[in-house]
Amino acid sequence: MKKKFIYVFIALLVLTTLSLVGCKKPKPIEGDGQTIPVTSITTESKTAVVVKGTTFDLNAKITPSNATCEGLSYSSSNDKVVSVSADGKCNAVGVGESEITVKCGGKEGKCKVIVGDYIVQGENQTPPENGSTENQTPAPSFAPTTLAIEVFNPVGGGKESEGEKEDQAELKLYGTNANNLFTNLTTALSNANSGSTIVILGGNYNEDITLSKPMRLMGVDYPVFNKMQFNAKEGESVIDGLYFKNTQSPQGGEATCMISTGANVKIQKCKFTLEGQNKTSGGYAILVEKDSVKVEIKDSTIENYRYAIYVQPTSGEIKITNNTLTNLNTGIGIDVRQPNSTPDANYPLSGEIKGNKFNETQIKTQFLFYGESFEGDFDFADHQESQQGQEGNGGGSGNQGLLE
């Protein structure tokens, strides 16, 4: 009886061990009987620029090519800009930015997607047969409206061979045609509707821009322009990621970027540079004319000007935050003086100026106003921090005004 019990115990132990081993065994891939892990996933391009309303499939490559991957998952960081289905079909439903993530086997690949109503690409364009580039530009051959999903995962083989490797493109276009793709911003603006978003690819455009309608301009890889004038009186105008680079400084009361009376403007992630200029004669980078409605300047860099930012009297909202200002005579000037009017009607009623970095700047801030003190719901924190021991920082009834 004792031996029979031992035999039964041994048999149960063997069956349990085999069962546990079976649970740990990976599911074999069809064709070679083994599981090969995914080492990387690469999207077809690092950045995709897409026209709103376009449906497209973002190609992805799995490495090695015979890795075990029973299915991909897709996600969008901003569904209001790009929605993506379970099988990877993307739909550009709104303007702005999103990031598409492709996952499989514990690895992931990402692609930044920028969506606009119009696209400006200044290089490598094919002009119409008559040689004119005005009003329309043919879409380049590499910009189809849709692309079929293509996951490289054939059966068989081992490590990826050199012949299978494909370089990831820096940028691809989707959904472009002669009505939404232009070679210069001036023509795009004349064709675009009020409130549109224009995506501008990197390049030196050598243009002076006048924004007469409220628009959003989004730069990719910092497209370069000369100067900009904001004249739109209704709606918000936004510039994001543009580069203003000049060798000649603005003269007198002029500026690289002029914000007119009545304008509502946001400037973010932009660059302003005067090359080879003396900071005592470099004019203004950004000049806000009196009675602007609302101005926000943030996360931008300005260098080699006499004044980085100068704001004339206004009761509108002013926000200037987290900018880097370098090699200047004066960083930020706020002038609330206005002759022949009531002083308390001519300062910003709301807003803030703080978090800005000043490098090699003689006068960080100026605050020019009537009377012994300033009252208002306006936080000029940078001025408070820089007042101590800094000559010419404004305050009181100073007589420094616009550059002559």
Side-chain angles (χ1 to χ4, degrees):
M1 183 72 180
K2 185 176 181 180
K3 288 184 177 179
K4 184 176 180 181
F5 174 78
I6 291 173
Y7 292 151
V8 172
F9 176 77
I10 292 173
L12 289 172
L13 182 62
V14 170
L15 288 173
T16 302
T17 302
L18 290 174
S19 177
L20 290 173
V21 170
C23 288
K24 293 181 179 180
K25 184 178 179 181
K27 185 177 180 179
I29 188 171
E30 182 181 352
D32 59 9
Q34 60 178 317
T35 298
I36 300 175
V38 176
T39 59
S40 68
I41 299 177
T42 305
T43 56
E44 186 176 25
S45 64
K46 294 179 181 178
T47 303
V49 176
V50 187
V51 175
K52 180 182 173 182
T54 301
T55 298
F56 65 102
D57 294 306
L58 194 64
N59 294 359
K61 180 181 179 182
I62 297 175
T63 304
S65 58
N66 63 333
T68 305
C69 181
E70 296 183 348
L72 298 174
S73 67
Y74 306 85
S75 62
S76 171
S77 64
N78 190 345
D79 289 331
K80 293 182 179 180
V81 175
V82 181
S83 63
V84 59
S85 64
D87 61 355
K89 186 165 291 294
C90 300
N91 188 13
V93 295
V95 296
E97 295 185 9
S98 182
E99 186 174 63
I100 303 300
T101 301
V102 186
K103 292 184 178 180
C104 184
K107 301 295 181 180
E108 64 181 31
K110 295 179 180 291
C111 179
K112 180 180 180 180
V113 181
I114 303 172
V115 182
D117 299 300
Y118 303 90
I119 297 173
V120 176
Q121 184 182 32
E123 298 179 354
N124 300 322
Q125 297 295 305
T126 303
E129 291 182 359
N130 61 7
S132 172
T133 58
E134 187 175 359
N135 296 328
Q136 62 177 358
T137 303
S141 60
F142 59 81
T145 301
T146 61
L147 286 177
I149 190 69
E150 187 177 352
V151 177
F152 299 90
N153 191 15
V155 175
K159 294 184 178 180
E160 183 184 37
S161 67
E162 290 296 322
E164 290 180 287
K165 291 183 178 179
E166 293 185 2
D167 293 333
Q168 183 184 40
E170 288 292 329
L171 184 146
K172 294 202 73 173
L173 301 180
Y174 298 89
T176 56
N177 57 48
N179 296 316
N180 57 39
L181 180 65
F182 301 91
T183 58
N184 63 79
L185 181 55
T186 301
T187 304
L189 288 171
S190 66
N191 284 269
N193 298 320
S194 178
S196 297
T197 294
I198 302 176
V199 180
I200 310 158
L201 307 190
N204 193 336
Y205 288 85
N206 193 29
E207 293 181 72
D208 295 347
I209 301 301
T210 299
L211 208 55
S212 300
K213 296 177 284 188
M215 297 274 185
R216 183 180 182 186
L217 308 181
M218 299 175 62
V220 179
D221 295 331
Y222 284 101
V224 180
F225 294 92
N226 299 331
K227 37 166 67 170
M228 179 166 288
Q229 174 91 31
F230 290 91
N231 289 338
K233 297 296 189 292
E234 297 181 2
E236 183 183 52
S237 298
V238 180
I239 61 172
D240 184 346
L242 304 189
Y243 190 5
F244 297 92
K245 183 165 62 173
N246 291 280
T247 56
Q248 303 248 339
S249 63
Q251 300 299 312
E254 296 180 354
T256 296
C257 185
M258 295 280 290
I259 300 176
S260 299
T261 297
N264 180 349
V265 174
K266 178 186 289 185
I267 298 172
Q268 59 187 19
K269 299 178 182 177
C270 291
K271 298 180 181 180
F272 296 81
T273 300
L274 273 180
E275 295 184 333
Q277 293 294 312
N278 187 313
K279 62 186 178 184
T280 62
S281 60
Y284 299 97
I286 302 173
L287 176 60
V288 183
E289 295 185 334
K290 68 177 184 178
D291 296 326
S292 60
V293 173
K294 181 179 179 181
V295 174
E296 182 174 5
I297 305 167
K298 65 178 185 178
D299 304 322
S300 297
T301 62
I302 301 175
E303 59 182 358
N304 301 343
Y305 284 83
R306 183 175 179 185
Y307 265 99
I309 304 167
Y310 196 95
V311 181
Q312 293 183 355
T314 180
S315 59
E317 182 178 72
I318 300 294
K319 289 186 177 180
I320 304 173
T321 58
N322 302 319
N323 301 285
T324 300
L325 312 177
T326 302
N327 194 34
L328 307 159
N329 181 280
T330 304
I332 300 172
I334 303 295
D335 188 350
V336 300
R337 304 167 303 164
Q338 190 170 359
N340 303 319
S341 63
T342 306
D344 62 6
N346 295 291
Y347 56 76
L349 297 180
S350 62
E352 58 186 4
I353 300 179
K354 64 181 182 180
N356 300 286
K357 297 180 180 179
F358 302 87
N359 304 317
E360 300 178 28
T361 299
Q362 183 175 341
I363 301 173
K364 294 181 180 179
T365 62
Q366 283 186 327
F367 198 8
L368 307 175
F369 54 90
Y370 285 112
E372 297 299 323
S373 63
F374 173 78
E375 297 178 1
D377 185 17
F378 175 64
D379 183 12
F380 198 168
D382 285 348
H383 181 67
Q384 298 297 325
E385 292 177 5
S386 64
Q387 259 184 316
Q388 296 299 324
Q390 189 179 138
E391 183 180 354
N393 270 337
S397 54
N399 58 7
Q400 294 183 1
L402 293 178
L403 300 177
E404 299 297 338

